[in-house]
Amino acid sequence: MKTSPFPRKYNITENLAAYFFMAPTILILGIFVVLPIVFAVFLSLHNVKLLGSIEYQFVGVRNFTQLVDDERIWIALKNTAEYVVIVVPAQTILAVILAVTLNSGIRGKNWWRILYFLPTVTSSAVLTLIFMWIYNTNGLLNDLLTALGLPTYNWLGDPGVALKAIMMMNIWSTAPFYMVIYLAALQDIPRTLYEAAELDGANWWEKFIHITIPVLKPVTFFVVAIGIIGTFQLFDQSYIFSGGTGGPNNATLTIVLLIYQAVFRHLQMGYAAAIAFLLAILIIIVTLFGRRLFGGEGV
């Protein structure tokens, strides 16, 4: 029977030392991750009275069953789903196009990188206010459409186009961030792969489809996953555009804006926690679907 070359006392001391060095991380994760999740579960099972002395009334799963009957939940889900389905693919495709363009060796590519990346480093609130000015009835966009002989829109007040206006703004402002990720990945692809394809007579499109896209698959999963998480959490643009109402006619109402309204307008802390869990489940399901679609196990 083999015995340990180290005394048992030494092993215990070594383990204690390891846990001592891990303690700060465990403490931070416990306070800022685990405890908030546990408290959110507690809140979702209670009706919380916020005015005066805080009181908790246990209601079981009533907050969750209320989700099914809440018409605004379904409106927010529809708006959020539409936003995710359009924005995530659009910003991903645009990011790939911009990255491939910059990686192709165009003149002044450093200046183009700066120009492309400017929207990403600009405050989201500032960008939203700028676009509200552009989208104004007498704003820059309608002036441009008039000059081209195209129909104009009430971008801020028409329920049919209000969410699309936010989509266009976010696609333009978020694609450069993912462009940088794609650009770094493109520069890591060995040139020998493209040279071998050229020897076989492949043109630029065949190299792009059969070399670039497959090699970028793990990066695409990361970009799509981050994009899904970000788009599901749309709040600030929708809040500023609608003044916190989700209007016009609930056209810009999102899940996170609904959580905000439940807490700060209706003082329904428990119901807001239930909505937050619904959002978390949706993000997990859609992200797992994206993992299966893009083969995220290679990331």
Side-chain angles (χ1 to χ4, degrees), residues 48-60:
V48 185
K49 178 187 174 185
L50 295 176
L51 297 179
S53 60
I54 299 178
E55 297 179 4
Y56 300 96
Q57 178 187 0
F58 181 77
V59 294

Side-chain angles (χ1 to χ4, degrees), residues 100-138:
V100 170
T101 302
L102 290 177
N103 195 54
S104 63
I106 61 173
R107 296 178 62 181
K109 61 181 180 181
N110 290 334
W111 290 104
W112 284 112
R113 289 181 187 179
I114 295 171
L115 185 63
Y116 287 157
F117 199 70
L118 277 178
T120 301
V121 297
T122 306
S123 166
S124 176
V126 172
L127 276 178
T128 305
L129 292 174
I130 293 173
F131 269 82
M132 286 181 69
W133 169 73
I134 294 174
Y135 287 143
N136 194 281
T137 307
N138 298 318

Side-chain angles (χ1 to χ4, degrees), residues 47 192 206 218 248 275:
N47 182 24
T192 53
E206 290 171 334
I275 302 174

